[in-house]
């Protein structure tokens, strides 16, 4: 991101692991979308073809994003998602995240939804949309940055930064109410209750529920919607996502040069979902399989990074 973009201030991949809250929510959201797009009785080939234009993207434009390839091959974002695992309950604590979501909508007005995911219930004294409006129109951070630059030496670089800041102010000032309405707290259905926060210990349950719903729709009358298969599928899904993150770190230059695609196609996630490979997972506790995989992967060497130094962007 640009240093002038108040969105993601750091790369969450530094603390990523296969069972990260962010990763669970990304898969949960994507699998819900996939479930809506597939139909009982259709062939796997037809499902893949239907899902092929859609993709999930982790840790790039946002914490996670969902998009669709257009007929001309261009990728267009449909929804962008900021995930905040924090204890703060005041809306102002999430101001940077909200301003970052607004910047995405400024840059790509065709985005349909911009969601903030939180783990704590926010204390709202008014509609969330009113907080969004106040935060997006409060441009003091731009003024502060301008004042800082003006105190520095007058250089071509600083003049360019001031010009960029002026353009940025104009963009925020022109931000429409219809665009602002796209920014919302994501709403979950947890234990039969609709709520706008998901505690960290509930994310895995949500993902398993999404898996169950997919299998009930696609494979009714089989053992796949059952607890045993879903538990193994859950580990398998998270393992595949884990490997995606690892590959992006180890092949950073190839991804940066677009020699490898950072997007995960819905058709690929569909293949994970319908695979019977998860049946080979014999783990009795969450993460035991993948921790073993990581032990092999992250042996300290001169060329292999430690997990807490992963960089994906």
């Amino acid at each position: 991101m640009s240093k002038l973009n108040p969105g993601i201030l750091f790369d969450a991949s530094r603390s990523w692991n296969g069972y990260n809250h962010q990763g669970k929510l990304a898969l949960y959201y994507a699998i819900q979308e996939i479930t809506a797009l597939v139909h009982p009785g259709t062939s796997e080939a037809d499902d893949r073809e239907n899902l092929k234009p859609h993709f999930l993207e982790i840790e790039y434009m946002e914490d996670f994003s969902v998009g669709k390839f257009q007929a001309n091959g261009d990728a267009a974002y449909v929804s962008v998602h900021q995930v905040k695992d924090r204890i703060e309950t005041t809306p102002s604590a999430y101001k940077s995240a909200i301003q970052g979501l607004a910047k995405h909508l400024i840059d790509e007005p065709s985005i349909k939804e911009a969601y903030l995911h939180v783990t704590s219930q926010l204390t709202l004294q008014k509609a969330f949309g009113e907080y969004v409006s106040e935060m997006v129109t409060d441009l003091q951070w731009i003024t502060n940055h301008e004042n800082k630059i003006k105190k520095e030496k007058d250089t071509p670089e600083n003049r360019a930064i001031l010009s960029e800041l002026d353009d940025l102010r104009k963009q925020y000032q022109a931000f429409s109410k219809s665009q602002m309405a796209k920014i919302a707290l994501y709403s979950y259905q947890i234990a039969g209750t609709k709520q706008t926060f998901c505690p960290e210990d509930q994310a895995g349950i949500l993902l398993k529920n999404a898996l169950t719903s997919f299998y009930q729709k696609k494979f009714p009358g089989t053992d796949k919607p059952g607890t045993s298969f879903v538990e193994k599928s859950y580990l398998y899904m998270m393992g595949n996502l884990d490997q995606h993150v690892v590959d992006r770190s180890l092949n950073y230059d190839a991804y940066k040069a677009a020699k490898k695609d950072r997007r995960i196609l819905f058709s690929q996630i569909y293949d994970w979902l319908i695979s019977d490979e998860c049946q080979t997972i014999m783990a009795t506790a969450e993460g035991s399989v993948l921790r073993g995989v990581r032990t092999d992967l992250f042996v300290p060497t001169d060329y292999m990074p430690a997990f807490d130094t992963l960089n994906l962007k």
Side-chain angles (χ1 to χ4, degrees):
M1 58 169 270
S2 164
K3 62 183 177 181
L4 302 180
N5 184 340
I8 301 176
L9 300 181
F10 60 93
D11 186 344
S13 64
R14 294 180 64 83
S15 60
W16 183 281
N17 64 68
Y19 298 96
N20 180 279
H21 183 73
Q22 175 181 322
K24 292 174 186 176
L25 293 185
L27 279 176
Y28 160 73
Y29 188 90
I31 291 170
Q32 286 192 118
E33 296 288 295
I34 290 170
T35 302
L37 290 167
V38 301
H39 303 283
T42 56
S43 69
E44 293 177 6
D46 286 342
D47 281 338
R48 288 191 190 92
E49 191 64 26
N50 188 35
L51 294 169
K52 194 173 181 179
H54 305 268
F55 63 84
L56 170 67
E57 182 182 83
I58 301 285
E59 272 297 304
Y60 187 74
M61 182 180 189
E62 258 304 348
D63 289 332
F64 72 91
S65 308
V66 167
K68 184 177 182 181
F69 288 103
Q70 306 302 297
N72 62 1
D74 291 342
Y77 290 101
V78 176
S79 64
V80 290
H81 303 253
Q82 268 266 358
V83 181
K84 294 297 181 186
D85 184 3
R86 301 172 61 172
I87 61 173
E88 292 91 342
T89 62
T90 57
S92 60
Y94 301 87
K95 183 176 182 178
S96 175
I98 290 170
Q99 289 176 330
L101 290 172
K103 184 63 169 66
H104 293 316
L105 293 171
I106 288 170
D107 293 339
E108 300 203 29
S110 61
I111 293 173
K112 295 179 180 179
E113 298 161 325
Y115 286 118
L116 174 64
H117 298 254
V118 296
T119 53
S120 302
Q121 184 173 13
L122 301 192
T123 303
L124 303 178
Q125 305 296 332
K126 51 193 171 185
F128 181 71
E130 294 183 48
Y131 289 103
V132 171
S133 178
E134 292 172 0
M135 294 176 194
V136 171
T137 56
D138 179 6
L139 303 179
Q140 186 60 43
W141 64 274
I142 295 180
T143 301
N144 292 342
H145 204 106
E146 286 174 328
N147 292 338
K148 180 181 177 181
I149 296 298
K150 288 175 181 177
K151 291 178 181 178
E152 298 177 2
K153 187 176 180 179
D154 182 19
T155 64
E157 180 184 8
N158 281 343
R159 287 195 294 272
I161 292 174
L162 288 172
S163 176
E164 184 180 348
L165 285 166
D166 186 55
D167 290 342
L168 196 58
R169 175 183 283 105
K170 291 174 182 176
Q171 290 173 349
Y172 275 98
Q173 289 172 337
F175 196 61
S176 68
K177 290 183 178 180
S178 61
Q179 287 290 82
M180 211 170 293
K182 296 178 180 180
I183 302 175
L185 283 170
Y186 190 78
S187 181
Y188 307 88
Q189 191 79 18
I190 298 178
T193 301
K194 189 176 181 180
Q195 59 189 57
T196 54
F197 66 102
C198 175
E200 191 173 355
D201 62 359
Q202 293 294 309
I205 296 172
L206 282 175
L207 176 52
K208 291 173 188 178
N209 289 343
L211 288 167
T212 300
S213 294
F214 171 82
Y215 292 128
Q216 286 175 337
K217 182 176 183 178
K218 191 63 190 174
F219 302 104
T222 70
D223 65 344
K224 289 191 174 182
T227 301
S228 177
F229 191 92
V230 168
E231 289 287 341
K232 292 177 180 179
S233 178
Y234 168 77
L235 289 172
Y236 183 68
M237 298 295 294
M238 293 305 297
N240 279 301
L241 186 61
D242 201 56
Q243 290 303 311
H244 170 77
V245 174
V246 170
D247 189 68
R248 281 188 45 197
S249 178
L250 298 181
N251 296 285
Y252 174 77
D253 290 336
Y255 281 101
K256 187 176 181 179
K259 294 179 180 178
K260 299 191 74 172
D261 193 350
R262 65 183 178 273
R263 305 174 185 93
I264 308 173
L265 297 180
F266 275 16
S267 56
Q268 182 178 353
I269 299 174
Y270 175 82
D271 284 338
W272 297 348
L273 286 164
I274 66 173
S275 173
D276 286 326
E277 286 185 20
C278 68
Q279 291 289 67
T280 64
I281 293 177
M282 302 302 291
T284 58
E286 178 178 299
S288 59
V289 170
L290 295 181
R291 289 194 190 100
V293 172
R294 264 191 224 105
T295 299
D296 293 333
L297 281 172
F298 295 104
V299 177
T301 68
D302 292 336
Y303 60 90
M304 188 172 289
F307 197 72
D308 61 1
T309 62
L310 294 184
N311 180 28
L312 305 188
K313 299 231 173 146

